[in-house]
Amino acid sequence: MNGDGGEEWRRLHPRMLAVHPFHVAVRAVPALLGLSVAGSRGGIPGHILSFGALGLMVVIGVLQWFTTTFRITDEHVQVRKGLFRRQVVTVPRDRVRSVDVTSHILHRVLGLARVEIGTGRSDQKGGGAVKLDALGMAEAAHLREELLHRRPAAAARTGEALTGTPGPYAATSVGVVTGPADGDPAASPGSGQAPWAETDALTSTGHAAAGTGPHGAGRGSPADPRGDAAPVTAAAHQNDAWPTEAAPAWDAGQEETELARLRPRWIRYAPFTLSGIVAIGVVAGFLSRLINEGGVDLRQVGALRDGWAWFTDIPVWTAIAASVVALIVFVAVASTLGYVLSFWGFRLTRHSGGTLHVTRGLVTARATTIEERRLRGVEVSEPLLLRAVRGARLIAVTTGLRVGRGAQRGGSMLLPPAPVAEVERLAEVILAPDPSGAASPREASPGEASPITVPLVPHGPAALRRRFTRALGVNALAVLALLALWEWAGVPAWTWITALACLPLAALLAADRYRSLGHAMTPEYLVTRWGSLVRRRVALERDGIIGWNVTRSFFQRRAGLATLTATTAAGRQGYGVSDVAMSEAIDLAAAGLPGLLDPFLVVPEKNTP
Amino acid sequence: MQTPTTTLRPPLHRVSRTAIWYWTVRACLGWLVLIGGQVAWMVAGGGDQRTLRISALGVTAVLAAAHVIVMPRWRYHVHRWETTPEAVYTLSGWFKQEWRIAPVSRIQTVDSERGPLEQLFKLANVTVTTASAAGPIKIGGLDRATADRVVHELTASAQATAGDAT
């Protein structure tokens, strides 16, 4: 009606009427408990306050469903939400980088799935993602296909055209959040710019979407009377192009090449992931909350009291050994459970439509789709324990999905902890320039070494010295501080003795950190590796490198070293080559982005032919 | 290019000399908060551990004086910037120095900002952002006319380039 694509506004799945209030209530349980305790001191009984608050939350939860609508037009994904503060979030479809479909247990029981549409924005909370919580499972799957595989070819082209639009402000057009809005999100581009410019980080996108390029035309059109007859310019292109390019992709999207699948024997790596430590935290948190807010007195529980009595009776070394064994067993079991819960049924497939597709999860089902065009590289990550048993995991370096928010939950996981050989095979398949080479990965790069296996250049003795100075220096400082505290503040002596005993460990860590350091430049990738407790080897596509940061601390300058960071829009946003010789850093930077550094380089006369 | 003696020359332009005073005042304000806290601690604490508190305050004062005197001059010595039609290139920091280079074609926004303190000294800074959250380039301590000119130039040359900047 008022849309550029003439699409109707759709609501979330009606069953969410049951889920929203439930979620709101669950999230509010601690607060409600607190309220019931605190409230009882005042005049009104606490439980009445609690129930009142709960009722209010249920109403809010229900209202969420009524106030949220969305639509997918030929050019945009738009979500309207909010009761008092109406928001319209608009994401141009060619900026959709990834689609993440998740079903938590309640969702699964009700046949629902949450859709999270990732865009390239990484400088704001949540990666600028648009969430639809939730749709029916079939609808969610269909939406994913529609967004990533049936991408209108013309839209892709206009996306490229958009990039050429004038002005630095036009360079990113990802999402537009307009202020209080009625049914008509975009007034006219001209009037739209001024308020947007004052709102928030999304400012720049507003200019792009509203002001310039084919998308600007699309966005401006709602104000036009043509309304329902909307697909005038860009959409007409799309219709031309569909039969030739996009339609086959749509069909082929149904067929997919399987790149990896969870083998049950990989579960033996699970205890080494230590993800169970998180479980300990959760259990401890739950227990403390139970004690504090539920008023449970643990001393009243007979079994616990007997256990504690036994524990205090046995010799201290036995007690320590028993606790350590119990802890190890618990972490191992919890980690294994976590692994199975997260990764059961893991499957990585490649669609000929140009996407990678990950499905996984035993209870919470999760499906992530990553556009390969936006995949800027891969990260092979080896936590120390996992490395000890020759295991590793594979993480995508891509725009639209952030890494580092708990690899178990993050959408960027390409392979759960698995044998290194398997990880490397998969990494090569994924990075292989020609998708048809997927079937025979070993032949993917016949001539030159692939970025996954290419030998790395070590960083030299100065970097080695620096590793030792830093590890031992920090440890020595800790020892000195503890000594001082022992001397003057009565801290027990075993603290500094322990710290002293850690010195050899620190030396080992330093040596291993040096061994990890390395870099290489292949024709297409910058490869860097660092870290010891978690060793990471990243192959970053050179096209994905935006610029360079070179940092040198006072001590690095004295040692002639520098840390070179390649900035990128993908993954961690910047990947560093640590403690490399300054000249090497400059050579790397110059080779990585040819031409960029040339005006700033000083090449001594005698060396130029 | 592969000769080990290749070096990176510093960017051409220094920042405004007034920036020294701006940095001095900014650092002073930061230290004043800390010293104020310590004085409050000393007054509130009464008589016990008086020597400890006074010596802590003394140490802070010495550190503050050293920082306030050394840092701004060192910074002024280091800070440099340069823009060309192809690239933005800055050098900043003092104890830890940082070179940042980004191609103009990857620029997403060019912002100029004047904080209250900067207005006092008639200074402005220019922040150039790229698609990478690790890559914003900030040129601080420019006089207003220069800042305006830099924004103008960068906007103009960014308009002239293509690419989706990610």
Side-chain angles (χ1 to χ4, degrees), chain A residues 261-292:
Chain A
R261 170 191 282 278
L262 182 82
R263 309 252 155 85
R265 64 170 184 275
W266 292 353
I267 294 173
R268 70 176 188 273
Y269 290 104
F272 299 96
T273 58
L274 295 190
S275 57
I277 289 176
V278 180
I280 290 187
V282 170
V283 169
F286 179 75
L287 278 182
S288 74
R289 188 178 281 175
L290 199 69
I291 294 163
N292 288 337

Side-chain angles (χ1 to χ4, degrees), chain A residues 500-575:
Chain A
L500 198 64
C502 282
L503 271 178
L505 285 182
L508 278 178
L509 186 72
D512 189 51
R513 276 170 63 80
Y514 173 71
R515 253 164 42 89
S516 293
L517 277 188
H519 68 269
M521 186 71 88
T522 73
E524 280 180 70
Y525 290 90
L526 167 71
V527 186
T528 169
R529 189 177 66 180
W530 75 97
S532 172
L533 295 179
V534 182
R535 189 172 77 176
R536 303 172 192 280
R537 178 182 173 130
V538 171
L540 179 66
E541 211 181 327
R542 280 166 55 178
D543 282 347
I545 299 175
I546 290 174
W548 299 102
N549 295 351
V550 181
T551 47
R552 306 184 80 189
S553 72
F554 179 73
F555 303 108
Q556 277 180 310
R557 290 200 294 277
R558 280 175 55 115
L561 297 175
T563 296
L564 176 74
T565 305
T567 64
T568 172
R572 290 173 203 281
Q573 307 292 306
Y575 290 93

Side-chain angles (χ1 to χ4, degrees), chain A residues 91-348:
Chain A
V91 175
R93 279 182 60 176
D94 64 302
R95 294 286 160 161
V96 174
R97 308 288 201 249
S98 63
V99 177
D100 204 346
V101 181
T102 315
S103 294
H104 292 292
I105 180 149
L106 191 60
H107 283 78
R108 276 185 90 172
V109 170
L110 296 173
L112 301 173
R114 187 182 74 192
V115 180
E116 203 170 316
I117 300 165
T119 63
R121 295 294 288 212
S122 39
D123 54 343
Q124 37 182 126
K125 254 195 256 168
V130 173
K131 286 177 198 150
L132 296 173
D133 189 10
L135 308 175
M137 270 177 182
E139 198 184 358
H142 179 73
L143 186 64
R144 181 169 57 78
E145 292 287 337
E146 195 180 325
L147 282 176
L148 284 167
H149 292 148
R150 210 168 68 172
R151 166 184 310 267
R157 276 208 303 274
T158 53
E160 297 306 322
L162 178 76
T163 64
T165 51
Y169 299 102
T172 45
S173 125
V174 171
V176 181
V177 177
T178 52
D182 46 19
D184 193 357
S188 74
S191 67
Q193 282 188 13
W196 286 342
E198 290 162 15
T199 49
D200 55 32
L202 286 166
T203 311
S204 49
T205 66
H207 292 265
T212 50
H215 283 280
R219 252 182 93 51
S221 64
D224 293 348
R226 47 183 163 167
D228 287 334
V232 177
T233 50
H237 276 277
Q238 289 157 14
N239 290 337
D240 291 346
W242 271 7
T244 55
E245 289 175 53
W250 164 250
D251 290 333
Q254 309 298 334
E255 306 156 12
E256 48 190 66
T257 334
E258 181 174 288
L259 302 185
R261 170 191 282 278
L262 182 82
R263 309 252 155 85
R265 64 170 184 275
W266 292 353
I267 294 173
R268 70 176 188 273
Y269 290 104
F272 299 96
T273 58
L274 295 190
S275 57
I277 289 176
V278 180
I280 290 187
V282 170
V283 169
F286 179 75
L287 278 182
S288 74
R289 188 178 281 175
L290 199 69
I291 294 163
N292 288 337
E293 288 170 0
V296 177
D297 191 349
L298 285 183
R299 278 168 298 185
Q300 302 297 316
V301 183
L304 274 177
R305 199 174 42 201
D306 294 348
W308 182 250
W310 171 81
F311 194 73
T312 42
D313 278 352
I314 57 175
V316 65
W317 290 111
T318 325
I320 290 176
S323 332
V324 168
V325 168
L327 196 69
I328 289 175
V329 168
F330 181 82
V331 169
V333 169
S335 303
T336 312
L337 265 178
Y339 188 98
V340 171
L341 283 176
S342 301
F343 300 121
W344 192 256
F346 178 91
R347 226 168 137 251
L348 174 68

Side-chain angles (χ1 to χ4, degrees), chain A residues 460-531:
Chain A
L464 178 65
R465 269 197 303 278
R466 195 166 141 79
R467 296 273 82 77
F468 272 97
T469 323
R470 286 177 58 152
L472 296 180
V474 167
N475 203 317
L477 273 181
V479 170
L480 286 179
L482 287 170
L483 261 177
L485 284 174
W486 169 68
E487 178 72 32
W488 290 302
V491 169
W494 62 264
T495 48
W496 68 264
I497 295 173
T498 315
L500 198 64
C502 282
L503 271 178
L505 285 182
L508 278 178
L509 186 72
D512 189 51
R513 276 170 63 80
Y514 173 71
R515 253 164 42 89
S516 293
L517 277 188
H519 68 269
M521 186 71 88
T522 73
E524 280 180 70
Y525 290 90
L526 167 71
V527 186
T528 169
R529 189 177 66 180
W530 75 97

Side-chain angles (χ1 to χ4, degrees), chain A residues 95 97 120-123 159-160 163-172 204 373-374 376 399 402 542-557 565-570 572-574 582-584 586-587 590-591 593 596-604 606-607, chain B residues 1-12 74 78 82-84 86-112 128-137 151 154-166:
Chain A
R95 294 286 160 161
R97 308 288 201 249
R121 295 294 288 212
S122 39
D123 54 343
E160 297 306 322
T163 64
T165 51
Y169 299 102
T172 45
S204 49
R373 199 160 58 99
R374 296 296 165 188
R376 289 309 196 179
T399 13
R402 293 208 81 164
R542 280 166 55 178
D543 282 347
I545 299 175
I546 290 174
W548 299 102
N549 295 351
V550 181
T551 47
R552 306 184 80 189
S553 72
F554 179 73
F555 303 108
Q556 277 180 310
R557 290 200 294 277
T565 305
T567 64
T568 172
R572 290 173 203 281
Q573 307 292 306
M582 185 61 177
S583 56
E584 179 86 18
I586 293 169
D587 287 345
L593 291 175
L596 177 64
L597 259 63
D598 289 356
F600 313 122
L601 292 178
V602 182
V603 182
K606 56 180 172 144
N607 286 322
Chain B
M1 199 166 66
Q2 293 303 318
T3 49
T5 44
T6 308
T7 50
L8 210 51
R9 68 164 170 79
L12 284 180
W74 194 342
V78 173
E82 183 176 347
T83 61
T84 70
E86 286 80 39
V88 187
Y89 176 31
T90 63
L91 171 54
S92 64
W94 54 294
F95 193 77
K96 182 174 187 175
Q97 299 174 1
E98 183 158 25
W99 288 251
R100 291 194 167 196
I101 303 170
V104 165
S105 59
R106 296 296 186 94
I107 291 178
Q108 294 206 322
T109 63
V110 182
D111 302 329
S112 182
V128 177
T129 63
T130 63
S132 170
I137 297 184
V151 169
L154 283 179
T155 312
S157 39
Q159 276 176 355
T161 54
D164 85 338
T166 55

